Amino acid sequence: EPEVTQTPSHQVTQMGQEVILRCVPISNHLYFYWYRQILGQKVEFLVSFYNNEISEKSEIFDDQFSVERPDGSNFTLKIRSTKLEDSAMYFCASSELGARLQETQYFGPGTRLLVL
Amino acid sequence: GQNIDQPTEMTATEGAIVQINCTYQTSGFNGLFWYQQHAGEAPTFLSYNVLDGLEEKGRFSSFLSRSKGYSYLLLKELQMKDSASYLCAVRCYRLAFGKGNQVVVIP
């Protein structure tokens, strides 16, 4: 069964450093998403991406975040200058279509980011 | 804005039935999802409701009342592997998640 994959599974970085989290969505999916989950808290939407542009973003997704689809398979989330509060599990998700009936988002296993 | 409310934890015995409730107030509505999340893992899709009523999928059933902003997930014949957090998520375009209801299954 096709699945979303993410690398790395864990990332430790120093405050102020840039990190790039990578995702390979399911191959026939067209919509891609990033969510994050701070330890013990709920899953929070960051951004959705379709047709090589951001379709929606939350208030969390400020100027230090960016997303890119550098080639036909990868979808990346860049955090320009990490802060302690960016420590969280970051989930990538994809869906075949967008906000249509019965359109399920499938989640990758996540990247656990720790900012020291 | 979006507000999704779920109780935080419940304990049940193997073989039992549990009902996990979710109430929501959102600025839009395009369906309600239930996901299961084991500790340290990604959410996995369980069920989806967009119309009022009950959707049944094996041991799991989900109910939706749009007028009341209410949904529940029913888990039957509980198994140890069902110990997890159950997340209610409302979709406008993004998915807005509740905090999740941690279900602990004891033998």
Side-chain angles (χ1 to χ4, degrees):
Chain A
E1 190 173 317
E3 55 185 21
V4 177
T5 59
Q6 289 185 244
T7 54
S9 58
H10 294 77
Q11 172 94 49
V12 181
T13 190
Q14 294 287 331
M15 192 168 61
Q17 295 297 303
E18 173 183 288
V19 294
I20 297 176
L21 310 182
R22 291 183 166 79
C23 168
V24 179
I26 294 172
S27 61
N28 65 330
H29 286 188
L30 300 178
Y31 286 77
F32 316 120
Y33 312 84
W34 282 102
Y35 292 83
R36 79 172 185 191
Q37 187 175 31
I38 295 169
L39 191 64
Q41 297 188 25
K42 64 182 179 181
V43 177
E44 301 173 292
F45 170 80
L46 293 177
V47 66
S48 60
F49 190 87
Y50 169 70
N51 200 27
N52 284 318
E53 59 184 28
I54 291 173
S55 45
E56 191 183 6
K57 59 183 181 179
S58 71
E59 51 284 349
I60 301 168
F61 194 88
D62 61 24
D63 291 344
Q64 70 157 346
F65 291 93
S66 61
V67 288
E68 198 178 32
R69 185 144 163 88
D71 54 45
S73 59
N74 288 285
F75 178 52
T76 62
L77 174 70
K78 183 192 290 186
I79 309 174
R80 223 176 311 279
S81 176
T82 49
K83 302 190 286 258
L84 295 176
E85 53 265 37
D86 294 327
S87 295
M89 180 76 100
Y90 287 81
F91 292 109
C92 173
S94 70
S95 62
E96 191 172 350
L97 298 171
R100 294 195 186 191
L101 295 183
Q102 300 183 322
E103 195 47 52
T104 300
Q105 294 179 24
Y106 294 92
F107 284 75
T111 293
R112 183 165 293 287
L113 177 66
L114 178 61
V115 182
L116 301 175
Chain B
Q2 279 123 349
N3 184 35
I4 295 137
D5 195 33
Q6 297 183 249
T8 53
E9 187 169 317
M10 58 175 57
T11 302
T13 49
E14 226 174 344
I17 299 174
V18 292
Q19 177 173 315
I20 302 166
N21 298 318
C22 172
T23 56
Y24 64 90
Q25 291 173 300
T26 58
S27 53
F29 183 83
N30 198 18
L32 186 143
F33 292 81
W34 284 95
Y35 283 84
Q36 181 192 61
Q37 187 180 29
H38 287 100
E41 297 183 14
T44 55
F45 170 74
L46 288 178
S47 72
Y48 171 80
N49 295 72
V50 68
L51 301 175
D52 289 353
L54 191 68
E55 293 282 337
E56 297 192 75
K57 252 180 136 178
R59 293 190 299 116
F60 299 100
S61 304
S62 56
F63 171 83
L64 174 67
S65 168
R66 289 171 296 171
S67 61
K68 294 181 180 168
Y70 168 70
S71 174
Y72 68 72
L73 179 71
L74 200 66
L75 283 64
K76 302 173 200 168
E77 300 167 22
L78 269 185
Q79 301 174 7
M80 297 300 292
K81 66 179 181 180
D82 297 329
S83 293
S85 187
Y86 291 85
L87 314 180
C88 163
V90 174
R91 187 179 66 196
C92 311
Y93 193 79
R94 65 179 72 177
L95 281 179
F97 283 86
K99 286 187 177 179
N101 184 322
Q102 180 69 42
V103 173
V104 177
V105 181
I106 57 175

